[in-house]
Amino acid sequence: MMRTIRKEHGNGGKQTYELIDGLFKPIFGSEILKSADDSTIFSLNDMKVGISTDSFVVKPYFFKGGDIGKLAVCGTVNDLAVAGLEPKYITVSFIIEEGFSMDDLERITMSIKKYADLARVEVVAGDTKVVEKGAADGIFINTTGLGVARDTKKMPSISKIESNQVVIVSGDIGRHGACIYSHNEDLGFEERIESDCGLLLDVISELMQEVDVAYMKDLTRGGLATALNEIVQKSGFDIKVEEEKIPVADEVKALCDILGLDSYYLACEGRFVAIVNRDEKEKAIEILRKYNGFACEIGTVEESREKRVYLSTTFGGTRILDMLYYEMLPRIC
């Protein structure tokens, strides 16, 4: 039987990791790549630097709270920031379908410039390809970011995760995924749900100055559940989270109820989880709440039984919160 790529291979969940670990990493064979997170960190002339790259195919490319240009900057810059890096430079490459509106392209490019300036990064290289009509769907963008370590001793690392540490989320979850769903499903939620797409630099910078953060990860495709599963697989610990503590906005809950979605798997583009020692929990939450009032403790790191994420439900039970397995929406970011 011919092996083929399915939409699920791009959902950021289990099939994506099977594709990366089963095909890309063995062929490329790079030791740096094998150990990499969303950003790869390595030494260059005695300096710690990091690179992250991401491609953006979101549909629609204008949505409440952002656009594909803003998303392309924030996504790559945030990947560097949660690794403890100070973003410095980005590259921007466009794949544009013939017939695409020049006005829309200008608007998207201006958005890239605006958020690159806010992130204090310089666009230093790029590429443009135009394909015939029907060969793409509007516009796709790839950005690659380069960052440097501000303080190597305080850089978060998966190796710093220990049992009994606290898991904190920086805000309410699922907004970006719910926003894109609302635009695609035409259910009247388009003006009610705003994407959380945004830069995390300032909040992470202040957090790292005041708190020894063990590890951070931004929540993108696959949402909270997939991010936590990545952490337990790499750290070897379990994580137990409490359903009643996980913040989800009422309008996101309403959309999930209508469409039968699970908010734990909805994408975010301006949220992250931080793992800190218990005695620094209050300080960390106080800092995070300056930027988002929904920031809170959601769970703990525990000695591993099976490297699983467990959810304590509001009904008093416990269930496994697995990595995203099915396709929710292919063009989410």
Side-chain angles (χ1 to χ4, degrees), residues 206-265:
E206 185 172 351
L207 183 65
M208 287 186 63
Q209 286 177 24
E210 301 294 331
V211 175
D212 287 326
V213 182
Y215 188 72
M216 290 185 287
K217 184 165 184 59
D218 55 336
L219 313 178
T220 55
R221 289 177 304 166
L224 175 69
T226 298
L228 294 178
N229 272 279
E230 286 184 49
I231 294 172
V232 298
Q233 289 302 314
K234 291 177 180 176
S235 70
F237 289 93
D238 290 340
I239 287 178
K240 190 171 186 178
V241 293
E242 297 180 47
E243 184 174 28
E244 64 180 1
K245 290 184 177 179
I246 298 173
V248 184
D250 290 341
E251 57 269 32
V252 174
K253 287 180 183 174
L255 184 74
C256 288
D257 289 342
I258 292 172
L259 295 178
L261 300 173
D262 191 334
S263 59
Y264 305 129
Y265 295 97

Side-chain angles (χ1 to χ4, degrees), residues 201-329:
L201 287 175
D202 291 342
V203 59
I204 287 176
S205 176
E206 185 172 351
L207 183 65
M208 287 186 63
Q209 286 177 24
E210 301 294 331
V211 175
D212 287 326
V213 182
Y215 188 72
M216 290 185 287
K217 184 165 184 59
D218 55 336
L219 313 178
T220 55
R221 289 177 304 166
L224 175 69
T226 298
L228 294 178
N229 272 279
E230 286 184 49
I231 294 172
V232 298
Q233 289 302 314
K234 291 177 180 176
S235 70
F237 289 93
D238 290 340
I239 287 178
K240 190 171 186 178
V241 293
E242 297 180 47
E243 184 174 28
E244 64 180 1
K245 290 184 177 179
I246 298 173
V248 184
D250 290 341
E251 57 269 32
V252 174
K253 287 180 183 174
L255 184 74
C256 288
D257 289 342
I258 292 172
L259 295 178
L261 300 173
D262 191 334
S263 59
Y264 305 129
Y265 295 97
L266 284 177
C268 306
E269 290 293 343
R271 304 284 187 265
F272 65 100
V273 289
I275 297 179
V276 303
N277 290 328
R278 188 165 293 279
D279 60 359
E280 295 204 277
K281 174 185 71 173
E282 299 300 334
K283 187 190 299 183
I285 292 174
E286 180 183 347
I287 292 168
L288 295 180
R289 283 185 176 167
K290 293 181 188 177
Y291 299 85
N292 189 301
F294 287 99
C296 64
E297 173 188 1
I298 60 171
T300 56
V301 177
E302 300 185 347
E303 289 294 338
S304 179
R305 288 180 289 176
E306 297 178 305
K307 293 194 290 187
R308 291 280 195 181
V309 179
Y310 296 96
L311 177 74
S312 296
T313 71
T314 54
F315 297 105
T318 300
R319 71 176 174 94
I320 292 171
L321 197 61
D322 210 346
M323 190 173 278
L324 177 64
Y325 191 76
Y326 55 95
E327 181 54 60
M328 292 188 78
L329 193 67

Side-chain angles (χ1 to χ4, degrees), residues 27-90:
I27 291 176
F28 292 135
S30 165
E31 292 302 317
I32 295 176
L33 182 62
K34 287 177 182 176
S35 61
D37 213 321
D38 288 337
S39 293
T40 296
I41 300 172
F42 52 93
S43 297
L44 185 66
N45 294 334
D46 298 325
M47 183 170 62
K48 285 287 185 184
V49 298
I51 290 178
S52 184
T53 189
D54 211 339
S55 298
F56 299 87
V57 298
V58 64
K59 185 178 181 180
Y61 42 83
F62 295 112
F63 50 85
K64 187 172 177 59
D67 56 69
I68 191 171
K70 177 182 178 181
L71 190 62
V73 175
C74 294
T76 293
V77 165
N78 288 345
D79 280 343
L80 294 170
V82 294
L85 297 163
E86 181 179 356
K88 290 291 188 181
Y89 304 102
I90 61 170

